[in-house]
């Protein structure tokens, strides 16, 4: 029964946490893609030279926009823009992909394995969340995670389902490791200093602290992961990015080092509550199953 209880605990907590903070994840993805425009026919784009920067002659499919007032849209403005132009349902774009991709056991190795297995759903989620950034004629218009995975496999090959998988695994391991380490360390610090009693208040404080640390550590990897997964690859043409390092170098060169922290506010705004919901839900589920 212990194994079943562990499975239930490890499954319910991440699903509740992920679904409750999904709109913040959508805003994060949109912000991480600010400054980058997917353009298969970049040469024909009607962008003014003063506002564009071609990162490399070998990668004509990506146009990086130099930072400007129009490019720097904050999380609140991004959320309002999505709500007004696409409706409230758009805030949950890709939520069907969030659920299978979030079913990872709490633990460093389990987190990495879970992320690798859930990579197709993660790619689908990123693309579904970013679809409205593309011109109407280039949108993928996936109807669900199943439709997305099926079409990616047919149109781009099975390997496309694991695009950015190493980044997904690294991101999951960084988040899990930093969450667990900082969560336990914060709880010990709080108890040692007698600031709070052992209970819900202490768990919430430790969880939010763990979420902040995880956001700081993982955001650069998350930005690169989002861009690699979302890039438009045309058969017979060189992809915009050859690998994660290439994407990181081109992003930093075109947009500056802080581009790796695009979407940080919605990331920490999501990671904090997500971690709180995750650990608090886990504790409550454990209590409910304690007598079974």
């Amino acid at each position: 029964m212990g194994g079943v209880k562990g499975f239930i605990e490890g499954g319910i907590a991440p699903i509740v946490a992920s679904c409750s903070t999904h709109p913040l994840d959508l805003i994060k993805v949109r912000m991480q893609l600010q400054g980058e425009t997917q353009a298969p026919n970049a040469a024909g784009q009607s962008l003014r030279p003063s506002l564009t920067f071609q990162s490399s002659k070998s990668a004509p499919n990506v146009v990086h926009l130099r930072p400007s007032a129009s490019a720097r849209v904050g999380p609140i403005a991004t959320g309002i823009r999505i709500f007004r132009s696409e409706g409230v349902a758009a805030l949950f774009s890709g939520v069907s992909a969030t659920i299978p991709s979030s079913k990872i056991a709490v633990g460093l190795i389990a987190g990495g394995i879970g992320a690798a297995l859930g990579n197709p759903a993660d790619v689908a989620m990123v693309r579904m969340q970013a679809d409205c950034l593309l011109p109407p004629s280039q949108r993928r218009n996936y109807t669900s995670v199943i439709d997305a995975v099926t079409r990616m496999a047919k149109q781009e090959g099975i390997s496309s389902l694991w695009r950015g998988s190493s980044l997904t695994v690294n991101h999951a391991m960084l988040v899990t490791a930093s969450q667990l380490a900082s969560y336990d360390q914060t709880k010990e610090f709080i108890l040692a200093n007698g600031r709070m009693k052992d209970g819900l208040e202490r768990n919430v404080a430790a969880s939010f602290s763990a979420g902040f640390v995880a956001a700081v550590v993982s955001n650069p990897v998350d930005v690169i992961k989002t861009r690699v997964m979302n890039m438009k690859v045309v058969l017979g043409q060189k992809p915009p990015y050859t690998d994660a390092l290439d994407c990181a170098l081109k992003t930093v060169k075109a947009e500056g080092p802080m581009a790796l922290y695009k979407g940080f506010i919605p990331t920490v705004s999501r990671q904090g509550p997500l971690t709180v919901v995750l650990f608090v839900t886990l504790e409550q589920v454990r209590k409910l199953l304690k007598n079974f």
Side-chain angles (χ1 to χ4, degrees):
M1 185 66 183
V4 176
K5 288 168 61 178
F7 177 79
I8 295 174
E9 293 169 0
I12 293 177
I15 290 174
V16 173
S18 296
C19 290
S20 62
T21 58
H22 187 80
L24 289 169
D25 189 57
L26 172 68
I27 293 172
K28 176 205 70 175
V29 167
R30 295 289 180 89
M31 291 184 69
Q32 287 178 341
L33 293 173
Q34 287 178 11
E36 178 199 53
T37 301
Q38 297 290 337
N41 298 311
Q45 296 294 308
S46 57
L47 293 173
R48 291 182 298 173
S50 61
L51 294 177
T52 63
F53 179 84
Q54 193 93 13
S55 61
S56 172
K57 291 182 179 180
S58 63
N61 294 343
V62 175
V63 174
H64 290 269
L65 303 181
R66 284 178 178 169
S68 64
S70 61
R72 296 173 182 172
V73 182
I76 296 177
T78 300
I80 293 174
R81 177 181 294 179
I82 294 171
F83 175 77
R84 287 180 175 175
S85 62
E86 304 170 45
V88 66
L91 294 173
F92 289 90
S93 296
V95 71
S96 62
T98 296
I99 293 175
S101 67
S102 66
K103 289 181 179 178
I104 55 176
V106 177
L108 182 59
I109 297 177
I113 295 174
L117 295 177
N119 198 78
D122 202 13
V123 176
M125 180 184 68
V126 168
R127 290 188 172 195
M128 291 168 75
Q129 290 178 335
D131 208 33
C132 285
L133 296 178
L134 296 171
S137 61
Q138 298 176 20
R139 290 176 187 172
R140 300 173 176 109
N141 295 317
Y142 298 137
T143 58
S144 67
V145 61
I146 296 176
D147 177 53
V149 170
T150 302
R151 286 170 56 188
M152 277 190 285
K154 289 181 178 179
Q155 297 170 3
E156 304 174 46
I158 296 294
S159 61
S160 67
L161 300 178
W162 276 270
R163 184 171 296 150
S165 58
S166 62
L167 291 168
T168 303
V169 172
N170 290 336
H171 178 266
M173 294 177 73
L174 283 171
V175 169
T176 305
S178 57
Q179 277 182 340
L180 292 175
S182 55
Y183 179 71
D184 290 335
Q185 194 67 31
T186 302
K187 284 200 303 183
E188 291 177 8
F189 175 79
I190 292 173
L191 285 176
N193 287 271
R195 297 179 182 275
M196 297 179 188
K197 294 182 179 180
D198 188 8
L200 180 63
E201 186 179 1
R202 184 203 65 168
N203 291 339
V204 170
S207 298
F208 194 84
S209 174
F212 180 82
V213 172
V216 173
V217 171
S218 66
N219 202 86
V221 176
D222 198 29
V223 171
I224 302 306
K225 176 179 75 73
T226 296
R227 294 191 171 196
V228 168
M229 287 181 170
N230 189 57
M231 69 177 176
K232 202 170 184 68
V233 178
V234 180
L235 292 177
Q237 296 184 16
K238 190 173 182 179
Y241 307 117
T242 56
D243 53 34
L245 179 60
D246 182 52
C247 179
L249 292 175
K250 287 176 179 175
T251 297
V252 171
K253 182 179 179 181
E255 303 168 53
M258 291 309 296
L260 298 178
Y261 276 91
K262 283 188 174 184
F264 178 74
I265 293 178
T267 294
V268 74
S269 298
R270 173 183 182 270
Q271 197 67 52
L274 185 147
T275 308
V276 171
V277 174
L278 175 65
F279 282 114
V280 170
T281 302
L282 185 62
E283 295 289 347
Q284 295 304 312
V285 172
R286 281 176 175 171
K287 288 182 180 179
L288 288 174
L289 298 177
K290 188 175 182 180
N291 297 322
F292 284 91

